[in-house]
């Protein structure tokens, strides 16, 4: 299933909808302004919080946490010992990990679990510069988690570029 993201308004305090392939509202990204740290909530169309994304405070390396029901679900970090600058590791609370690699700032990257493709993030399907798709390849993959991972790594890569 493909989800359409318009990242022109990718700023704290801004809310924006992510649409499904039929153009229906699938997820709302709610940017929480006036918080001590970078915080976003990914909500369903009825307003229920599915996952919360937070910048990890007091971390030696830039990291973001993904929480579900106010409990940690995953931590996203740039991979330390990688020849590729755009390689991130998502460590789930159960100890398993997802690999994210590609051209993050160009919105051309993949999310994999043990070499198996879970999601492909790309602008190639769109002519509008500020638009990209999160194509969740596996039907049993958690779409909210895949979108949260994409949002996290893009925010982290943009912050790294600014520094």
């Amino acid at each position: 299933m493909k989800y359409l993201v318009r990242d022109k308004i990718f700023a704290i305090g801004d809310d924006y909808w992510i649409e499904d392939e039929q153009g229906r509202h699938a997820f709302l990204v709610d940017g929480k302004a006036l918080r001590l740290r970078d915080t976003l909530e990914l909500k369903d169309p009825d307003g229920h919080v599915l996952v919360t994304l937070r910048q990890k405070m007091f971390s030696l390396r830039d990291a973001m946490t993904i929480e579900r029901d106010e409990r940690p679900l995953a931590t996203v970090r740039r991979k330390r010992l990688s020849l590729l600058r755009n390689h991130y590791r998502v460590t789930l609370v159960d100890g398993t990990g997802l690999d994210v690699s590609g051209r993050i700032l160009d919105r051309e990257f993949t999310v994999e679990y043990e070499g198996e493709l879970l999601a492909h993030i790309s602008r190639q399907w769109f002519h509008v510069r500020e638009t990209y798709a999160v194509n969740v390849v596996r039907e049993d993959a958690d779409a909210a988690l895949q979108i949260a991972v994409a949002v996290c790594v893009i925010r982290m890569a943009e912050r790294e570029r600014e520094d």
Side-chain angles (χ1 to χ4, degrees):
M1 170 73 92
K2 280 186 193 158
Y3 297 94
L4 176 71
V5 181
R6 288 174 179 67
D7 73 342
K8 181 179 181 182
I9 52 175
F10 232 42
I12 293 300
D14 288 337
D15 299 343
Y16 57 94
W17 283 100
I18 295 174
E19 299 172 351
D20 65 13
E21 291 177 286
Q22 289 75 39
R24 296 181 303 237
H25 290 165
F27 301 100
L28 174 67
V29 177
D30 184 359
K32 297 295 179 185
L34 304 174
R35 296 274 175 108
L36 180 60
R37 57 185 175 169
D38 194 357
T39 302
L40 299 167
E41 292 178 340
L42 187 63
K43 299 178 178 181
D44 69 12
D46 296 325
H48 300 105
V49 177
L50 302 172
V51 292
T52 302
L53 294 69
R54 297 183 201 279
Q55 177 184 7
K56 199 161 184 179
M57 299 298 286
F58 310 114
S59 178
L60 293 176
R61 292 186 293 147
D62 193 22
M64 291 189 78
T65 58
I66 301 171
E67 301 171 0
R68 180 170 280 148
D69 299 325
E70 298 184 22
R71 291 189 311 263
L73 177 64
T75 301
V76 181
R77 286 188 175 92
R78 188 170 67 80
K79 216 168 179 183
R80 266 194 289 191
L81 302 173
S82 175
L83 297 176
L84 301 173
R85 182 178 162 156
N86 291 309
H87 196 133
Y88 290 78
R89 180 77 174 166
V90 180
T91 306
L92 302 172
V93 291
D94 66 4
T96 60
L98 307 177
D99 287 307
V100 181
S101 62
R103 296 185 325 271
I104 308 296
L105 293 173
D106 291 334
R107 310 309 190 255
E108 295 292 337
F109 58 96
T110 60
V111 180
E112 297 179 344
Y113 170 70
E114 294 185 351
E116 184 177 345
L117 182 65
L118 296 179
H120 180 225
I121 293 76
S122 180
R123 278 196 172 134
Q124 75 181 17
W125 298 297
F126 303 101
H127 298 291
V128 180
R129 178 80 178 132
E130 300 86 21
T131 304
Y132 66 92
V134 176
N135 184 14
V136 180
V137 177
R138 281 187 45 170
E139 289 185 26
D140 63 340
D142 182 345
L145 177 60
Q146 301 307 311
I147 290 168
V149 167
V151 170
C152 281
V153 298
I154 289 168
R155 291 185 81 80
M156 291 171 71
E158 287 177 344
R159 269 199 309 267
E160 187 178 303
R161 179 183 60 186
E162 290 170 4
D163 290 345

